[in-house]
């Protein structure tokens, strides 16, 4: 990254992997826009992370519901006015790990609601912030995905979540190819099975899941784009 303070935005950052990603980026000196659907949740999370460590970046709480087009674009305008650019976009917000559902019987309204957040949310956010990413000397987009979206590993169950993550992986490839010549690196990251509200007990610590996200967010200019990774290693699509 350059010597200027990087500005990073993390969606769904009030808990779990998003929260740990925000903490780690701030520890690296980034100014982090810690986003949540409710401002009070973002404020509470940012206050809980503020350690006063010398050299740490600011944690700035922001309201962002990725399903609301007007809200996403309003935040983009606010970031433009305050910073003039965005260096890192981490699309982390996701919903509905629907382990009890089956593709043959799932309510398609539930699938549609899942896609609004898990696919159209990152897509909408990437489009809205693209003009600001283009102003960054080292722009990075990280789509937090899941191996349940891998076509090679895919099986039955979790239909809404799995299909939404497969679609997010496809979006990653599309954006990466279209933005390659502009130096905007776009990658998908699977954190693995992590003990979060969504992942449930039994998974690994959030520190492990966030590490791969931060790796992709801080890649050098020579780093990969259009890839699917876990722990910095490629996963099968």
């Amino acid at each position: 990254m350059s010597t200027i303070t990087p500005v990073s935005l993390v969606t769904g950052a009030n808990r779990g992997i998003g929260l740990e990603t925000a903490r780690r980026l701030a520890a690296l000196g980034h100014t982090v826009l810690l986003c949540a659907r409710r401002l009070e949740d973002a404020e509470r999370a940012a206050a809980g992370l503020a350690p006063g460590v010398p050299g740490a970046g600011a944690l700035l709480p922001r309201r962002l519901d990725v399903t609301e087009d007007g809200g996403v674009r309003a935040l983009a305008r606010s970031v433009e006015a305050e910073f003039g650019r965005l260096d890192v976009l981490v699309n982390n917000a996701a919903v509905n790990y629907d382990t009890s559902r089956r593709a043959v019987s799932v309510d398609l309204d539930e699938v549609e609601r899942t896609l609004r957040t898990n696919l159209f949310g990152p897509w909408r956010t990437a489009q809205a912030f693209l003009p600001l990413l283009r102003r960054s000397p080292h722009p990075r987009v990280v789509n937090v995905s899941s191996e349940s979206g891998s076509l090679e590993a895919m099986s039955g169950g979790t239909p809404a979540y799995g299909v939404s993550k497969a679609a997010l992986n496809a979006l990653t490839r599309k954006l990466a190819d279209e933005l390659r010549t502009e130096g905007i690196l776009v990658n998908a990251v699977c954190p693995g099975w992590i003990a979060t509200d969504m992942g449930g007990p039994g998974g690994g610590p959030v520190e492990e899941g966030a590490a791969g996200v931060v790796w992709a967010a801080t890649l050098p200019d020579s780093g990969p784009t259009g890839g699917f990774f876990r722990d910095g290693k490629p996963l099968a699509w």
Side-chain angles (χ1 to χ4, degrees), residues 65-90:
D65 185 335
V66 298
T67 68
E68 297 177 355
D69 187 70
V72 173
R73 296 192 180 279
L75 183 57
R77 290 192 296 270
S78 175
V79 173
E80 179 178 23
E82 188 170 1
F83 300 104
R85 72 182 198 286
L86 183 69
D87 299 291
V88 177
L89 172 60
V90 178

Side-chain angles (χ1 to χ4, degrees), residues 114-208:
T114 305
L115 289 170
R116 285 178 197 159
T117 297
N118 296 6
L119 171 63
F120 295 116
W123 203 334
R124 172 181 294 110
T125 306
Q127 286 185 339
F129 283 93
L130 183 56
L132 301 184
L133 288 163
R134 284 178 165 139
R135 297 178 188 175
S136 169
H138 308 284
R140 307 288 180 261
V141 177
V142 184
N143 292 325
V144 180
S145 186
S146 168
E147 195 170 8
S148 67
S150 166
L151 295 178
E152 179 170 288
M154 191 173 289
S155 59
T158 59
Y161 189 80
V163 168
S164 73
K165 291 302 187 179
L168 181 62
N169 287 351
L171 175 64
T172 300
R173 295 296 295 266
K174 295 288 186 182
L175 292 175
D177 188 64
E178 293 177 7
L179 298 173
R180 189 184 305 271
T181 59
E182 299 181 57
I184 301 177
L185 305 186
V186 185
N187 290 290
V189 171
C190 169
W193 181 22
I194 302 298
T196 62
D197 288 349
M198 182 177 292
V206 292
E207 292 82 2
E208 291 182 4

Side-chain angles (χ1 to χ4, degrees), residues 94-111:
V95 297
N96 195 25
Y97 190 61
D98 55 335
T99 54
S100 65
R101 304 287 193 259
R102 295 294 180 266
V104 294
S105 56
V106 65
D107 185 336
L108 293 184
D109 288 340
E110 179 181 346
V111 177

